[in-house]
């Protein structure tokens, strides 16, 4: 027995600290009591494939080694980062709501006198190692300390591009509160965050921090940091409500019908932050395309355009086979298709959603050309939201004919 315990302790010692910790004790007991936990794992609101398999996995691997594809997955020049300063963020927003996208899914939201930091990732790589893994394609807009005080840090799930060890260890030295999904607290406690600063929630549970209410809402994704994926940490989207404003952060998620329920219960929202990057036909259930992200925003708004939609989860890391700028370009198109306001800030650019949100397609200056096959140059009969493009470009609709090369809009050529 003693030898077994020593072996177990030795294996734990070999485990990289970035892997975090597995839930145990009362935390694990609470997880097992969750209505969203069954057969030893958290489950999604709809059936979900989390990884490619068999032949599709081989095709995915081939796509990563093709030279032309590799070139398109990165910017062709220096990404324009907005020179935000502490002074910019020290001035309170005139309207009571201001968002600052820091890149990928990291957003500082200033809402009705409170400061909420979503999925902060200031590390150079989204990886358990500092020598390997996806590296930043642009620098962080400003140092973490330059943000000033933060009332609450919100984490959507425990993947490396959302839960970053060096960032959390830096924040552990502050007095901020952490709003997190069930199980994620085990990681944070191992990294130095005291248990009394954790608000660990199941879906549909809420917590109040000052004058704002944060609610963990469902998402369609998965979890895991170590070599074993035990599905013992939950993933979530988040609704945040202040005295005057409501905002929503999707975390990572595939499209699902539950967006309508979230909108009905917590919306409509003044602004949504919607994941529209790192999508692929190889994992269609766990990340959204720009078209699906726009559909999700409309669901959250009761089925009609409203508020401002800001695309997140793109431009900062190379995590999928699609061209680097495609998510931004296609989200802009999808918004125009339905008459929805879309905010397209440069990383680090603060804006107030009700005051002419930034709409300049800044990525075009540093993007390689890519096709927009789902959008015809002239399409008066177009449906409100286009269908996802197939490998062979076709116009949407049941009677659509193939799109000729001259009808394709090569975004990087403009």
């Amino acid at each position: 027995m003693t030898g077994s315990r020593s072996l177990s302790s030795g294996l734990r010692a070999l485990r990289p600290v970035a892997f975090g910790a597995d839930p145990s004790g009362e935390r694990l007991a609470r997880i097992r009591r969750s209505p969203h936990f069954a057969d030893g794992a958290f489950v999604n609101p709809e059936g979900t494939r989390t990884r490619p398999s068999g032949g599709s996995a081989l095709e995915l691997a081939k796509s990563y080694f093709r030279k032309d594809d590799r070139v398109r997955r990165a910017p062709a020049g220096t990404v324009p980062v907005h020179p935000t300063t502490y002074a910019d963020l020290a001035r309170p927003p005139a309207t009571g709501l201001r968002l600052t996208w820091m890149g990928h899914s990291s957003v500082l939201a200033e809402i009705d006198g409170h400061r909420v930091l979503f999925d902060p990732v200031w590390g150079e790589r989204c990886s358990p190692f500092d020598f390997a893994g996806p590296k930043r394609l642009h620098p962080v807009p400003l140092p973490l300390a330059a943000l000033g005080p933060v009332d609450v840090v919100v984490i959507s799930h425990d993947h490396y591009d959302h839960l970053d060890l060096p960032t959390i260890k830096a924040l552990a030295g502050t007095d901020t509160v952490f709003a997190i999904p069930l199980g994620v607290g085990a990681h944070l406690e191992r990294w130095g965050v005291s248990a009394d600063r954790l608000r660990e929630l199941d879906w549909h549970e809420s917590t109040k921090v000052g004058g704002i209410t944060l609610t963990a809402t469902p998402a369609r994704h998965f979890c895991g940091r170590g070599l074993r994926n035990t599905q013992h940490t939950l993933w979530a989207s988040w609704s945040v409500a202040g005295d005057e404003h409501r905002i929503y952060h999707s975390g990572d998620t595939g499209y699902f019908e539950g967006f309508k329920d979230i909108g009905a219960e917590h919306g409509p929202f003044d602004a949504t932050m919607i994941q529209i990057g790192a999508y692929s036909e190889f994992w269609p259930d766990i990340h959204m395309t720009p078209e699906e992200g726009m559909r999700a925003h409309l669901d959250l708004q009761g089925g009609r355009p409203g508020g401002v939609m800001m695309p997140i989860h793109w431009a900062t890391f190379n995590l999928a086979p699609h061209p680097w700028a495609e998510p931004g370009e296609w989200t802009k198109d999808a918004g125009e298709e339905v008459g929805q306001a879309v905010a397209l800030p440069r990383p680090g650019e603060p804006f107030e959603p009700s005051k002419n949100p930034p709409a300049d397609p800044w990525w075009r200056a540093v993007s390689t050309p890519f096709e927009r096959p789902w959008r015809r140059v002239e399409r008066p009969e177009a449906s409100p939201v286009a269908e996802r493009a197939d490998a062979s470009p076709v116009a949407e609709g049941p009677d659509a004919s193939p799109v000729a090369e001259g009808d394709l809009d090569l975004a990087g050529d403009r």
Side-chain angles (χ1 to χ4, degrees):
M1 191 67 150
T2 303
S4 174
R5 202 161 32 238
S6 298
L7 177 60
S8 176
S9 300
L11 290 174
R12 280 198 299 273
L14 291 173
R15 175 174 174 154
V17 67
F19 280 8
D22 293 327
S24 60
E26 175 53 32
R27 176 175 281 119
L28 182 57
R30 186 181 171 204
I31 287 169
R32 289 171 172 161
R33 293 193 299 268
S34 168
H36 310 109
F37 192 82
D39 299 323
F42 280 110
V43 294
N44 273 297
E46 296 178 12
T48 301
R49 295 161 291 168
T50 59
R51 291 180 175 86
S53 60
S56 63
L58 179 59
E59 285 302 312
L60 174 62
K62 288 179 180 177
S63 75
Y64 274 97
F65 286 103
R66 284 194 287 266
K67 181 178 179 181
D68 290 348
D69 290 348
R70 289 203 311 271
V71 169
R72 290 186 301 166
R73 290 199 302 268
T78 302
V79 176
V81 175
H82 186 83
T84 309
T85 66
Y86 176 82
D88 294 330
L89 299 177
R91 290 188 292 269
T95 62
L97 177 63
R98 180 167 62 204
L99 302 179
T100 307
W101 179 51
M102 299 296 175
H104 203 56
S105 294
S106 304
V107 182
L108 175 67
E110 298 165 272
I111 175 171
D112 299 335
H114 297 80
R115 308 178 93 231
V116 181
L117 184 59
F118 292 97
D119 284 356
V121 173
W122 259 250
E124 189 64 19
R125 296 181 186 271
C126 50
S127 166
F129 311 108
D130 59 9
F131 57 85
K135 192 174 182 180
R136 283 186 166 274
L137 300 174
H138 66 79
V140 292
L142 74 169
L144 187 63
L147 292 182
V150 173
D151 296 294
V152 56
V153 172
V154 175
I155 303 296
S156 64
H157 64 298
D158 69 359
H159 285 159
Y160 292 100
D161 56 323
H162 297 260
L163 181 61
D164 179 55
L165 169 61
T167 304
I168 297 301
K169 293 190 81 168
L171 291 167
T174 70
D175 59 0
T176 187
V177 169
F178 290 80
I180 53 179
L182 277 182
V184 175
H187 300 315
L188 270 58
E189 285 189 41
R190 187 182 185 202
W191 299 337
V193 180
S194 59
D196 62 350
R197 289 164 55 195
L198 303 180
R199 307 288 189 271
E200 203 160 344
L201 306 181
D202 200 349
W203 290 344
H204 309 297
E205 292 182 343
S206 299
T207 187
K208 289 206 74 167
V209 177
I212 58 173
T213 300
L214 303 103
T215 304
T217 46
R220 191 184 182 200
H221 200 57
F222 68 112
C223 66
R225 293 179 72 85
L227 299 178
R228 295 182 304 117
N229 182 4
T230 59
Q231 294 290 82
H232 278 99
T233 60
L234 186 60
W235 48 95
S237 58
W238 289 87
S239 165
V240 179
D243 292 336
E244 301 292 335
H245 296 92
R246 292 172 179 264
I247 57 177
Y248 173 85
H249 189 284
S250 72
D252 276 4
T253 180
Y255 179 82
F256 69 112
E257 291 295 321
F259 289 116
K260 297 174 184 176
D261 298 328
I262 295 170
E265 184 170 357
H266 301 285
F269 298 96
D270 297 282
T272 67
M273 295 153 272
I274 304 290
Q275 173 264 306
I276 50 76
Y279 49 83
S280 172
E281 62 185 11
F282 297 110
W283 51 80
D285 299 335
I286 57 170
H287 284 167
M288 291 190 291
T289 65
E291 177 270 328
E292 290 169 326
M294 185 57 63
R295 192 191 314 168
H297 172 86
L298 296 179
D299 288 350
L300 292 163
Q301 301 297 75
R304 61 185 63 87
V308 172
M309 184 268 215
M310 181 172 72
I312 59 173
H313 204 263
W314 75 288
T316 304
F317 297 106
N318 180 352
L319 302 176
H322 61 66
W324 169 73
E326 185 178 279
E329 191 71 42
W330 285 15
T331 302
K332 179 177 174 64
D333 289 348
E336 292 172 358
E337 292 283 332
V338 298
Q340 170 61 51
V342 176
L344 299 165
R346 292 165 175 77
E349 181 179 3
F351 72 95
E352 300 188 35
S354 63
K355 294 173 61 178
N356 297 318
D360 175 47
W362 52 267
W363 55 87
R364 292 179 183 169
V366 292
S367 170
T368 56
F370 61 90
E371 297 176 352
R372 297 157 75 205
W374 62 282
R375 189 174 189 192
R376 296 290 293 269
V377 176
E378 295 182 5
R379 260 192 334 176
E381 74 288 357
S383 59
V385 180
E387 295 299 321
R388 186 190 308 185
D390 294 322
S392 299
V394 294
E396 69 230 48
D399 302 319
S401 58
V403 180
E405 184 176 350
D407 290 331
L408 292 176
D409 184 352
L410 299 180
D413 287 342
R414 282 178 291 148

